[in-house]
Amino acid sequence: MNDSVHIGFLLFPNVTQLDLTGPAQVLSRVPQARVHLLWKTVEPVATDVGFSINPTTAFADCPRLDVLCVPGGFGVGALLDDAEVLAFLRRQGAEARYVTSVCNGALLLGAAGLIDGYRSACHWMWRQYLPRFGAIPVAERVVRDRNRLSGGGVTAGIDFGFTLAAELAGADKAKAIQLGLEYDPQPPFDCGSPEKAGASLVAQLRALQAERIRNVEAQIDQAALY
Amino acid sequence: MNDSVHIGFLLFPNVTQLDLTGPAQVLSRVPQARVHLLWKTVEPVATDVGFSINPTTAFADCPRLDVLCVPGGFGVGALLDDAEVLAFLRRQGAEARYVTSVCNGALLLGAAGLIDGYRSACHWMWRQYLPRFGAIPVAERVVRDRNRLSGGGVTAGIDFGFTLAAELAGADKAKAIQLGLEYDPQPPFDCGSPEKAGASLVAQLRALQAERIRNVEAQIDQAALY
């Protein structure tokens, strides 16, 4: 008897690694959880922070997943027309119990045709591109629509993780995990959304990342509609 | 001219990976930051979640660090009398601008003699062992004492990261990073500390982890006093 809960995260070059490592930490503590980091091969994958993480499982060896999760990052752009990645997501997404994303990973679920007609969260900077893939952007931290569950930008992946842990294992288990991870956040500043941060900080951040934003926007523009 | 800010995290077997990946995500966005993951060799290191991360820099090749950070996890116990690790921490800790820890990584700083007489945060489950190393336990999420900066359990590393980012680069820059990482937490439950969780949930978690807790307690007991 195999009652593992297979939880698979796509691990790709230039992923925002906390999009993945946050919810993976939470979900790894769900009873019977088996966390897979998935890529084309099991060679090391470079993250946005400069270190690399090793995939646990190549696409070809991936068991049928209970949870498929696509994290985000500037690396998402290059995958929007990657046939191998999109085919893998479609294959797993068709059978997974939960099809999920964190941050602008939602765009990649979109390019795979997996959230057409679904409400979805997304990093605030990328939310407006969801309709290109038929998805309905929602400015909330965690969004559920049928079996699609999505988190907003980066750290929203942790709130997403606890929400999903409660679905998989019940609220009591999720609470024990939360206590173990001491998740009682006390941000030193209150500026974690565009509304709270204000226009000047938003403009400052956009200017800092302007070139990388433009690159991904061009890739979104060129993405084939599945 | 080399104006990099060298930020080094110890990466060791059975680290609680979010202790490290959370603050690394935040601090990697500090201007001129260069994040190092440090271990004896650059071979892959297994984390508590089952995947491995690759060190960027072996101890012998580590530049003088501006920030030394020791994350936690059940793997801390095995290092409390590891001469090579302790020597490395002492050498870097003597010159670093900030000597820091997340979670029960504080115990390892303690074993290296780096927080004797200092106030320190620590994961709530391990806080009571700090006095063994001359440190003063403080039940706060982020604690500063002179150039020692420490975070509480696991996710406290993110709040620690923003606090340190503000020290290194100023509050405005830290706020822009917070907006970029959309750090506006909304935990689905309010049970991230023992006080909020209550005695029954605390007992449940301790029971789940009983064997691993006992192992680390035995290792603390046997740790030589530096």
Side-chain angles (χ1 to χ4, degrees):
Chain A
M1 183 180 127
N2 177 0
D3 55 2
S4 289
V5 179
H6 292 286
I7 300 172
F9 291 88
L10 192 70
L11 171 60
F12 55 85
N14 208 11
V15 64
T16 298
Q17 59 85 25
L18 187 55
D19 285 13
L20 177 166
T21 53
Q25 188 71 53
V26 176
L27 292 167
S28 72
R29 299 198 176 184
V30 165
Q32 313 301 327
R34 182 136 172 245
V35 171
H36 303 269
L37 304 193
L38 305 159
W39 185 234
K40 297 172 182 180
T41 72
V42 294
E43 295 298 303
V45 172
T47 73
D48 69 324
V49 170
F51 62 80
S52 63
I53 300 180
N54 301 303
T56 60
T57 313
F59 289 169
D61 300 321
C62 183
R64 178 172 161 170
L65 296 173
D66 295 285
V67 175
L68 169 66
C69 184
V70 178
F74 288 107
V76 156
L79 304 182
L80 293 174
D81 63 356
D82 184 313
E84 185 180 358
V85 169
L86 296 176
F88 174 74
L89 296 178
R90 284 183 193 122
R91 190 166 67 244
Q92 289 286 347
E95 304 212 318
R97 197 168 144 210
Y98 292 95
V99 176
T100 75
S101 63
V102 175
C103 199
N104 69 354
L107 298 175
L108 191 50
L109 282 186
L114 287 166
I115 52 171
D116 192 354
Y118 286 83
R119 301 165 70 245
S120 181
C122 187
H123 190 292
W124 59 266
M125 199 184 274
W126 301 100
R127 205 185 282 143
Q128 75 267 28
Y129 295 105
L130 284 173
R132 171 163 171 82
F133 305 106
I136 303 141
V138 180
E140 289 170 13
R141 199 146 170 92
V142 180
V143 173
R144 185 179 179 160
D145 186 350
R146 289 157 280 174
N147 78 332
R148 267 58 171 175
L149 193 69
S150 48
V154 198
T155 56
I158 297 174
D159 297 326
F160 152 84
F162 282 110
T163 303
L164 183 52
E167 296 247 353
L168 292 168
D172 279 358
K173 192 62 70 179
K175 287 179 183 175
I177 298 170
Q178 186 173 342
L179 174 61
L181 300 180
E182 213 172 316
Y183 189 46
D184 183 25
Q186 295 169 26
F189 307 106
D190 188 21
C191 61
S193 69
E195 296 71 28
K196 291 179 176 177
S200 150
L201 208 58
V202 169
Q204 184 188 323
L205 184 70
R206 282 191 188 277
L208 266 175
Q209 303 186 327
E211 188 182 337
R212 284 179 294 171
I213 293 171
R214 269 198 305 273
N215 285 344
V216 177
E217 285 175 339
Q219 287 161 321
I220 293 171
D221 230 40
Q222 287 157 22
L225 282 177
Y226 54 92
Chain B
M1 180 181 129
N2 178 0
D3 55 1
S4 288
V5 179
H6 291 286
I7 300 171
F9 292 87
L10 192 70
L11 172 60
F12 55 86
N14 208 12
V15 64
T16 297
Q17 59 86 27
L18 186 55
D19 286 12
L20 177 166
T21 53
Q25 188 71 52
V26 175
L27 292 166
S28 72
R29 300 198 176 184
V30 164
Q32 312 302 326
R34 179 132 175 246
V35 171
H36 302 269
L37 304 193
L38 304 159
W39 186 234
K40 298 173 182 180
T41 72
V42 293
E43 294 298 303
V45 172
T47 73
D48 69 323
V49 170
F51 61 80
S52 63
I53 300 180
N54 301 303
T56 60
T57 313
F59 290 169
D61 300 321
C62 184
R64 178 171 161 170
L65 295 173
D66 296 286
V67 175
L68 169 66
C69 184
V70 179
F74 288 106
V76 156
L79 304 182
L80 293 174
D81 63 355
D82 184 314
E84 184 180 357
V85 169
L86 296 176
F88 173 75
L89 295 178
R90 285 183 193 121
R91 189 165 68 244
Q92 288 286 345
E95 304 212 318
R97 196 167 145 211
Y98 292 94
V99 175
T100 74
S101 63
V102 175
C103 199
N104 69 354
L107 300 175
L108 192 49
L109 282 187
L114 288 167
I115 51 171
D116 193 354
Y118 287 83
R119 302 164 71 246
S120 180
C122 188
H123 190 292
W124 59 265
M125 199 184 274
W126 301 100
R127 206 185 282 144
Q128 74 267 31
Y129 296 105
L130 284 173
R132 174 165 170 81
F133 305 107
I136 303 142
V138 181
E140 288 170 15
R141 199 150 170 88
V142 179
V143 173
R144 183 177 182 163
D145 186 350
R146 288 157 279 173
N147 78 332
R148 268 58 172 174
L149 193 69
S150 50
V154 198
T155 55
I158 296 174
D159 297 327
F160 153 85
F162 283 109
T163 304
L164 184 52
E167 296 248 353
L168 292 168
D172 278 358
K173 191 62 71 178
K175 288 179 182 176
I177 298 170
Q178 186 173 341
L179 173 61
L181 300 179
E182 212 172 317
Y183 188 46
D184 183 24
Q186 294 168 27
F189 307 106
D190 188 20
C191 60
S193 70
E195 296 72 27
K196 291 179 176 178
S200 150
L201 207 59
V202 169
Q204 184 187 323
L205 184 70
R206 282 191 188 276
L208 266 175
Q209 303 186 326
E211 190 183 336
R212 284 179 294 170
I213 293 171
R214 269 196 306 274
N215 286 344
V216 176
E217 284 174 340
Q219 288 161 321
I220 293 170
D221 230 38
Q222 289 157 21
L225 281 178
Y226 55 91

